[in-house]
Amino acid sequence: MTALRVAVVGAGPAGIYAADILTKAAPDATVDIFDRLPTPYGLIRYGVAPDHPRIKEIITALHHVLEDPRIRFIGNVDYGVDVKPEELTPFYDAVVLATGADKDRELDIPGIELPGSFGAADFVSWYDGHPDVPREWPLTATKVAVLGAGNVAVDVARILAKTADELLETEIPDNVHRGLLASPVTDVHLFSRRGPGQVKFTPMELRELDESPNVEVIVHPEGMEFDEGSLAAIRARRSLKMCVDTLQNWCARDPRDRPRRLHLHFLQAPVAILGSDRTEGLRTETQELTGDGSVRGTGQFTDWDVQAVYRAIGYLSRPIADLPFDHATGTIPHDAGRVLDLDGERVPGLYATGWIKRGPVGLIGHTKKDANETITSLLADADGLPPAVHRDPAEVLAYLDRRGLGYTTWAGWKRLDEHEIGLGNPHGRKRIKVVPRQDMIDISSGI
């Protein structure tokens, strides 16, 4: 078998893990990792809250993988837009799609389109300095609602409730610090449609809500209910029991006098965002448990005085031009990572891994296991793959040059990395994240 030439589309954990697993299993293989952004690491750089340095330490392991001379990073190239799938195919024996999920799942309720109604993914991108979003964010509300019961909802609520100066020890971009510093927020309300026995956040994420000296976490007793389905789930999952124990302890304690408050409400389903030309409130319907952990509406409604609403009810992947896509699940149809066409037949040489493959669920450990399944399938197919026409790695770059695409490189990223670290001296900050501009991109030397 000729040494494999593989393209991975997406430089987040899923794509980098796939490249690492492949080159370890097939030492002669070479991999080009493409990303539409000029920087690597995907949601680890642009989806993890800045006050989560422990999670961001995963970048150290990913950096080590990208230092492998058999693996090449090519950024600022949007697969399906800058380069069509059929244009890239002649340079590789196989293509692995690892484009992730960065789009907000829609919520179909009246008023969702009003100014002051936001998707959590966009807000996360703002506070993480994503180059696709504006540098300013309209933080004008004194009372804010966050919808959801997962880690993203908790992250958004925590960042909104914290004071800006508490984040100065993180890599928070300067424009984000300025925006949060001007925020007049006093109360953040997090609403969960189901009960405390069905929450999706982790114990660590939950406990972090209570670590700010400026934020009082208030668990409202209404909704702190459990049915047989809830109790069974709590008995089956130690992490869920830890969350419930924490919530019950907070619910029973005396309130403390702190300048900001973060309220947790359970069994409250959003049914409308109120207002005529801007967000002026949120209407929820009280839910009741049905015995199996599910809920149903009671017909009892509450209007909440809020001026902004953030929905954190899940991510969705974006479809890739000219490739099969299941819009309901936000995934590419596959069989153990082998991409399937609309008739359910395998597309030779095309594979998927990560959230574009299984949906936006699971943690980093699941991503590595998922990549292993996909690469196992690829290697099993290796002898029957349609061979690359142009096998010289230089030919890909020459093609991008001819197209006038200003791609970035690993060497360029390291220059930006060093620049950010060099900025991170004030207030003990290890780095200050900057936004790579288009005029910083140089074809010959990267960023």
Side-chain angles (χ1 to χ4, degrees):
M1 182 180 66
T2 304
L4 283 170
R5 286 276 298 142
V6 176
V8 173
V9 182
I16 296 174
Y17 284 145
D20 186 38
I21 293 167
L22 175 61
T23 51
K24 285 178 177 175
D28 291 337
T30 56
V31 181
D32 287 343
I33 303 181
F34 291 84
D35 202 282
R36 73 179 186 87
L37 296 174
T39 57
Y41 307 135
L43 281 180
I44 299 297
R45 178 171 168 88
Y46 292 121
V48 174
D51 57 349
H52 274 171
R54 188 188 65 83
I55 298 177
K56 287 183 176 290
E57 286 176 2
I58 296 168
I59 283 179
T60 301
L62 302 181
H63 182 103
H64 181 72
V65 173
L66 290 173
E67 285 281 286
D68 190 323
R70 297 170 297 168
I71 298 173
R72 186 168 59 175
F73 170 70
I74 304 173
N76 208 47
V77 176
D78 194 350
Y79 181 76
V81 178
D82 295 330
V83 177
K84 302 296 183 184
E86 65 272 14
E87 294 172 331
L88 202 61
T89 299
F91 297 97
Y92 300 98
D93 303 309
V95 175
V96 179
L97 304 172
T99 50
D102 62 357
K103 179 183 175 184
D104 280 297
R105 187 176 292 276
E106 297 296 330
L107 179 62
D108 187 16
I109 61 173
I112 195 69
E113 76 291 342
L114 284 171
S117 168
F118 306 104
D122 289 337
F123 182 61
V124 171
S125 293
W126 175 74
Y127 68 58
D128 271 330
H130 197 293
D132 285 355
V133 300
R135 299 303 93 204
E136 308 300 323
W137 192 271
L139 291 167
T140 58
T142 58
K143 298 177 182 178
V144 180
V146 179
L147 313 178
N151 284 340
V152 174
V154 170
D155 280 351
V156 168
R158 187 182 67 256
I159 295 295
L160 285 167
K162 271 187 171 182
T163 60
D165 285 351
E166 292 179 70
L167 298 170
L168 274 177
E169 293 184 355
T170 74
E171 64 175 31
I172 184 173
D174 285 336
N175 67 291
V176 176
H177 175 255
R178 290 193 300 271
L180 292 172
L181 192 63
S183 171
V185 69
T186 60
D187 292 82
V188 176
H189 297 264
L190 192 151
F191 294 94
S192 173
R193 183 177 65 87
R194 298 203 288 174
Q198 291 80 43
V199 296
K200 300 297 184 183
F201 38 71
T202 61
M204 182 186 73
E205 295 270 359
L206 177 62
R207 286 194 296 264
E208 284 179 337
L209 291 180
D210 202 42
E211 293 177 356
S212 169
N214 300 299
V215 180
E216 171 66 356
V217 179
I218 302 170
V219 177
H220 290 253
E222 306 84 5
M224 283 294 289
E225 301 175 8
F226 305 89
D227 60 3
E228 277 305 314
S230 303
L231 296 174
I234 293 168
R235 288 191 294 267
R237 286 175 50 209
R238 182 172 176 269
S239 63
L240 179 56
K241 184 179 186 307
M242 293 169 66
C243 287
V244 170
D245 288 346
T246 298
L247 291 168
Q248 289 177 323
N249 289 337
W250 291 349
C251 187
R253 72 186 178 187
D254 293 330
R256 296 163 295 184
D257 185 17
R258 295 185 175 182
R260 296 183 177 187
R261 292 161 295 278
L262 202 166
H263 308 261
L264 304 183
H265 306 273
F266 295 98
L267 295 177
Q268 293 290 332
V271 294
I273 295 176
L274 308 176
S276 53
D277 56 358
R278 60 183 176 84
T279 297
E280 298 175 349
L282 173 72
R283 179 169 295 160
T284 64
E285 181 183 11
T286 300
Q287 306 293 292
E288 62 182 6
L289 294 162
T290 60
D292 60 357
S294 300
V295 296
R296 62 188 169 213
T298 64
Q300 178 183 344
F301 299 93
T302 304
D303 290 353
W304 305 87
D305 177 21
V306 297
Q307 300 87 48
V309 176
Y310 292 77
R311 67 184 185 278
I313 57 173
Y315 284 137
L316 276 179
S317 298
R318 301 173 187 270
I320 300 173
D322 303 324
L323 293 181
F325 190 76
D326 185 332
H327 290 270
T329 62
T331 59
I332 287 180
H334 71 93
D335 175 17
R338 300 176 175 96
V339 173
L340 305 177
D341 63 19
L342 296 179
D343 297 321
E345 299 295 324
R346 293 180 185 174
V347 180
L350 194 60
Y351 300 83
T353 191
W355 284 359
I356 191 73
K357 170 188 173 186
R358 71 177 191 276
V361 293
L363 304 174
I364 294 295
H366 299 93
T367 299
K368 186 174 290 188
K369 180 180 178 182
D370 190 41
N372 188 68
E373 179 189 58
T374 295
I375 296 304
T376 298
S377 295
L378 190 159
L379 291 174
D381 301 341
D383 288 335
L385 292 173
V389 177
H390 309 293
R391 306 200 66 83
D392 185 347
E395 293 182 280
V396 179
L397 301 185
Y399 173 74
L400 297 177
D401 289 343
R402 291 195 299 272
R403 292 285 305 274
L405 297 175
Y407 57 85
T408 59
T409 65
W410 180 239
W413 155 250
K414 289 200 289 186
R415 287 173 56 200
L416 177 62
D417 189 34
E418 292 169 0
H419 176 66
E420 290 185 342
I421 293 171
L423 292 175
N425 295 319
H427 308 285
R429 296 162 79 178
K430 293 182 179 179
R431 72 187 302 134
I432 297 177
K433 188 184 292 183
V434 300
V435 181
R437 305 184 309 272
Q438 192 66 30
D439 60 5
M440 295 170 67
I441 294 171
D442 182 281
I443 294 176
S444 60
S445 59
I447 295 173

